[in-house]
């Protein structure tokens, strides 16, 4: 049997982005933002905060890039930030399309 230090789990446990570090837990908790964003997809467009979605989209895209240039590279952080940015951008697109449709009716 392989020792704990050489097994795949041991390598993950002791890695620089493993569960002993903030590099693991920050992205894990940030998935809550993605889940909340997905839950908001059923929200009426007039209840969506454009400022909030702009800030989520901007920070999602900025931190996606940042997490690939920091040491250690944190691809789980890049992934979650990418999805935060995507859900916010989708919400912004919904607002823009709703605004365009309301202008056409007027």
């Amino acid at each position: 049997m392989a020792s704990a230090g050489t097994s795949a789990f041991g390598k993950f446990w002791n890695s620089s982005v493993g569960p002993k570090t903030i590099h693991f837990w920050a992205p894990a908790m940030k998935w809550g933002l993605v889940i909340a964003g997905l839950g908001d997809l059923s929200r009426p467009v007039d209840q969506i905060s454009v400022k909030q979605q702009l800030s989520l989209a901007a920070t999602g895209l900025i931190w996606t890039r940042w997490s690939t240039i920091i040491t250690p590279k944190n691809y789980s952080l890049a992934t979650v930030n990418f999805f935060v940015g995507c859900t916010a951008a989708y919400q912004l697109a919904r607002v823009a399309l709703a605004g365009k449709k309301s202008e056409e009716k007027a």
Side-chain angles (χ1 to χ4, degrees):
M1 184 169 149
S3 68
T6 59
S7 70
F9 178 76
K11 288 178 184 177
F12 167 69
W13 184 258
N14 294 315
S15 76
S16 60
V17 291
K20 291 182 177 181
T21 68
I22 191 67
H23 302 291
F24 174 83
W25 291 106
M29 296 299 114
K30 201 165 189 180
W31 280 106
L33 289 174
V34 176
I35 293 167
L38 292 173
D40 284 347
L41 294 178
S42 61
R43 181 180 293 227
V45 176
D46 61 334
Q47 294 181 357
I48 295 173
S49 169
V50 174
K51 290 180 182 179
Q52 180 182 21
Q53 296 306 320
L54 280 171
S55 66
L56 284 170
T59 58
L61 296 175
I62 291 166
W63 282 101
T64 297
R65 173 68 178 126
W66 178 253
S67 58
T68 61
I69 59 175
I70 59 173
T71 303
K73 291 189 185 328
N74 194 336
Y75 294 109
S76 65
L77 184 62
T79 303
V80 72
N81 279 304
F82 175 77
F83 282 103
V84 166
C86 286
T87 54
Y90 182 77
Q91 293 288 45
L92 290 169
R94 286 182 60 212
V95 170
L97 288 173
K100 186 175 180 182
K101 286 181 183 179
S102 68
E103 286 177 4
E104 289 175 357
K105 288 182 182 178

